[in-house]
Amino acid sequence: MIDNNCIFCKIANGEIPAYTVYEDDTFRAILDAAPANEGHTLIIPKEHYENLFAIPDAVAENVMKIAKNIATLQKERLHCDGVNILQNNGAAAGQTVMHYHLHVIPRREGDGHLVPWTPLQRTNEEQETTLEKLK
Ligand code: 5GP
Ligand code: ZN
């Protein structure tokens, strides 16, 4: 399904132009309009899914294969020093466009970008309690 009010539906389906790095039947990968570094790419499914919780398993599998190829291109052609794969789900996690997308971000030594969190200190007991909840 496509949401007529969604900018990424329009971009992914070619209704609004974007700098397309890669395209197939189900995805379009575009240059981010406000990149963290040169080459920052967003992989966007052509169908509208709000976020990770809504995507089918096939989309989850295929998006990571595409990310691997784009990261490899960034390393070979842009000569970046590293790559972040980043994907935000929900406003609390920093998602601003509510159509699933995966960021592939070339990183350079000393570029100053942080993936920001403050580490918690956890006892073994706390880790075990968490594990019980998750497994
Ligand atoms: P989020 O915070 O939702 O994970 O990331 C949204 C990303 O989409 C941001 O990095 C932002 O710069 C990018 N973005 C938002 N609107 C547009 C647009 O119209 N075109 C392109 N190319 N990127 C966009
Ligand atoms: Zn959409």
Side-chain angles (χ1 to χ4, degrees):
M1 281 258 294
I2 289 167
D3 179 341
N4 286 326
N5 296 314
C6 171
I7 181 139
F8 276 13
C9 278
K10 290 183 177 148
I11 289 174
N13 291 283
E15 284 174 45
I16 293 177
Y19 294 103
T20 298
V21 175
Y22 169 84
E23 185 183 5
D24 63 22
D25 287 347
T26 38
F27 293 95
R28 184 187 296 269
I30 64 164
L31 294 182
D32 195 298
N37 278 330
E38 184 195 8
H40 180 165
T41 297
L42 305 174
I43 308 173
I44 309 173
K46 292 182 176 179
E47 295 267 326
H48 182 86
Y49 306 109
E50 186 172 349
N51 55 34
L52 182 71
F53 304 110
I55 59 171
D57 285 352
V59 168
E61 287 167 16
N62 291 331
V63 77
M64 200 47 76
K65 291 181 192 161
I66 296 166
K68 180 185 169 186
N69 288 337
I70 288 171
T72 303
L73 271 179
Q74 290 174 344
K75 199 160 167 36
E76 289 178 359
R77 308 273 180 87
L78 301 178
H79 309 291
C80 57
D81 303 312
V83 173
N84 283 127
I85 306 287
L86 216 145
Q87 201 269 305
N88 300 325
N89 300 286
Q95 185 177 7
T96 58
V97 178
M98 298 302 166
H99 175 132
Y100 174 95
H101 54 279
L102 186 132
H103 297 254
V104 187
I105 307 175
R107 296 299 305 274
R108 303 209 170 266
E109 296 291 350
D111 65 18
H113 298 306
L114 298 175
V115 178
W117 66 77
T118 308
L120 294 175
Q121 294 224 330
R122 299 285 280 172
T123 63
N124 287 343
E125 204 174 43
E126 287 169 330
Q127 295 289 65
E128 280 156 22
T129 304
T130 302
L131 199 57
E132 282 307 315
K133 290 182 195 165
L134 290 176
K135 74 180 184 190

